[in-house]
Every structure is written in structure tokens, then in C-alpha cells.
Amino acid sequence: MITTTEAWLKQTRQACLDACAATGNEVFRQFGEYALKALLVDELRRYTPHSLSACLQDFWRFADDSRQDVEIRVFNPDMSKVGWRPDGTVIEVCSVEMPFLLNTLRSVLNRSGCEIQALLDLNLPLRRDRFSRIKTIPASTDALSTDYRTLIHIELATLYDGEDLLALDADIRNAVGMLQKIVTAFPRMQTLCREAGQMLIENLPKGGDEAVNRMECHAFLQWMLRSHFTFLAVLHEKSHGDTEKSGLASWSGIELDTLAGLPMPEQHKGILFGKSLTRSPIHHDRHADVVILPMPDGSTFRFVVTPDVLDADGV
């Protein structure tokens, strides 16, 4: 038996698909079909078939015009130009696949006190022609990993303009830029963690407390590498004074607290743990952890991380 809600949902989706098909663009009609499946019933109720079709058309044009790995726009739609107008400001992103992208956007909006009214999050393969226009949405069996794009459309409850709109735009771009930096630097941060582990077991004493301590530290680094933490930054402070910085350690837009100013206990040979004053700009909106590891050669590694799994209290 079909419920009233199911009947309404089917009718609304079909009316919107008919409006998308009326454009004569079969690829856009396919996009509309994916989008309608992703929207929740309560979100669909915010639109008429015409306004939703107009919203999706404008979003599709943005995706079609996107040329960079990550494109962002934070704007207030003009009814006279795009045929629809939401209650609040709209945020749209077209990006290569990146972990934690939606979580990062949510964290920025939560910190800014923004309420989300509608959210569309899609991951689709978009294949372009030689003029860089989207020509097909290939089936998953035919899609290449490079075809996939993350498409995010967010409608806020509040309409921002002027300086408030510019500030929101800057906050979002800065956070996504930091996420890109972390994703790009992630292989090097993993390599630094492996190098630290290798340094610990080189010339390992045959017995005694130092050997046990080094093996325990090595085991911890191996555990840390097995996807239990998200690396935000890694610093290798070398004994001759140079420091290799990776991840957000080389990002000028953040004051990264690595606990560098705290005195190290004399003759300490094990791992030190501390809580950074820097809140994680990606993934989880919480203060980062700092893992400090003095090495046998006199250098020090500092890992700024957040755990990948949180309990109910965020610990």
C-alpha cells in the first residue's frame, strides 16, 4: 500500500524530472535524477518542481563551468537571473574527491553559527569533452577514478550579505584550502612517521630499558599509521637546527600550536603527549593532540593529529 508521503514524493520527483527533461539536456536530466534521490523528503518540501529544477540547473551550470580541482562559490541567488530564491545564503562546491570535505564544511559553519536548511551531497563521475564541458555521466562500471567529483549544495537559514558574506566566503575557502594542503602532504607525513620508526630500531641496543622503550615507541608509531589518526602536521626538528615542516606546519594561514615552547624533561627518552591550543580545521571540530618523540640522534618529531574515532564525549 502506497502512503500519502510516498505518493507525494513520487509525484514531486516526476514533476521535477519532467522540468529537467524539458531543457533538452539529457545529461542534466540524469544529474537531476541523482540529485532527487539524494534529497530528503523534508528538504524536497522546501521546493516547487519549478524552483527545484531551477536550483539544480544553476548548480549544474556551476559544475559544468568548474575547471580547477576545487571550485567554491558562496552567494545569494538572484531570482531574476536563475529563477529561484532560497531563504538564506547558498554554498556550492565542485571538487575532486577529498576525505572529510563535508565534515570540514560543517565544522566551519558550526563555528560561524550557521544553520543548514538543505543539503545535497553527490559523488558522481563527470566526463568532459575536449572543450572541458561535461558530456556524460558514465556508469560506475565505465567510470575512471579521475572522473569522480564531489558536488555539495548547502542552503543556510540566514541570508548573509556585505562584510558578513565576504567573511563567510573567506572562512570556507581557508578551511578547504587547509584540507587540500593536508591531503596533498599526507603521503609525506606518513613517510616521516615511518622514518621516525626506522630511526628507533636502527642500532638498537641488545637489551635494557632503552631497547624496550624504543620498541614501545616504534610499536606506537606503527599503530598510529594504521589509520587511527588524521595527520594535521608533522615537524622533524633536526639536531643541527633545521626543521622539516609538512602539512599545516607550512601553512601560513594558521597559528599552529605544536607545544614547541614547553620545556622537555631532562633525559626523557619516551613519547610525550599534549593537547594543542589549535582546533582542528578539518574532520572534527576539536583541539588537536600533539605527540612529541625525542630521537636517539638528538632530533625530535612532533606529530599534530586528531583521532579518527571519537566516543560520545568526543575523546
Side-chain angles (χ1 to χ4, degrees), residues 221-288:
L221 292 180
Q222 295 301 305
W223 179 75
M224 191 162 69
L225 275 169
R226 289 195 292 271
S227 301
H228 291 288
F229 291 89
T230 297
F231 290 91
L232 302 181
V234 179
L235 298 90
H236 184 196
E237 301 165 351
K238 300 175 184 178
S239 54
H240 52 70
D242 292 340
T243 299
E244 179 179 351
K245 299 178 179 180
S246 189
L248 293 186
S250 59
W251 181 265
S252 60
I254 187 172
E255 292 185 13
L256 188 67
D257 175 30
T258 63
L259 306 182
L262 296 181
M264 292 284 290
E266 290 188 16
Q267 306 301 318
H268 186 79
K269 300 297 183 181
I271 295 178
L272 293 172
F273 301 91
K275 184 65 71 175
S276 174
L277 293 176
T278 302
R279 296 190 76 89
S280 171
I282 70 160
H283 197 11
H284 303 303
D285 185 18
R286 65 189 299 272
H287 289 285

Side-chain angles (χ1 to χ4, degrees), residues 123-276:
N123 184 251
L124 294 175
L126 304 177
R127 190 164 294 168
R128 297 178 183 267
D129 60 22
R130 61 192 181 94
F131 302 107
S132 296
R133 314 306 301 189
I134 299 172
K135 66 174 182 178
T136 60
I137 302 177
S140 58
T141 53
D142 298 324
L144 305 173
S145 60
T146 53
D147 290 334
Y148 280 89
R149 291 294 182 271
T150 298
L151 304 171
I152 298 174
H153 170 93
I154 296 173
E155 296 174 25
L156 301 180
T158 302
L159 189 71
Y160 296 88
D161 56 17
E163 293 298 321
D164 292 335
L165 185 65
L166 292 174
L168 179 61
D169 182 274
D171 287 345
I172 290 172
R173 292 180 187 277
N174 191 46
V176 175
M178 285 189 277
L179 176 60
Q180 281 184 277
K181 179 71 173 179
I182 290 169
V183 171
T184 302
F186 184 69
R188 180 55 187 162
M189 291 192 283
Q190 282 192 312
T191 297
L192 286 170
C193 191
R194 291 191 185 97
E195 288 178 357
Q198 185 62 33
M199 291 169 64
L200 286 168
I201 59 176
E202 286 178 351
N203 302 315
L204 188 67
K206 292 184 178 180
D209 292 343
E210 183 179 352
V212 172
N213 178 68
R214 283 208 216 175
M215 288 304 297
E216 288 179 347
C217 293
H218 179 270
F220 177 81
L221 292 180
Q222 295 301 305
W223 179 75
M224 191 162 69
L225 275 169
R226 289 195 292 271
S227 301
H228 291 288
F229 291 89
T230 297
F231 290 91
L232 302 181
V234 179
L235 298 90
H236 184 196
E237 301 165 351
K238 300 175 184 178
S239 54
H240 52 70
D242 292 340
T243 299
E244 179 179 351
K245 299 178 179 180
S246 189
L248 293 186
S250 59
W251 181 265
S252 60
I254 187 172
E255 292 185 13
L256 188 67
D257 175 30
T258 63
L259 306 182
L262 296 181
M264 292 284 290
E266 290 188 16
Q267 306 301 318
H268 186 79
K269 300 297 183 181
I271 295 178
L272 293 172
F273 301 91
K275 184 65 71 175
S276 174

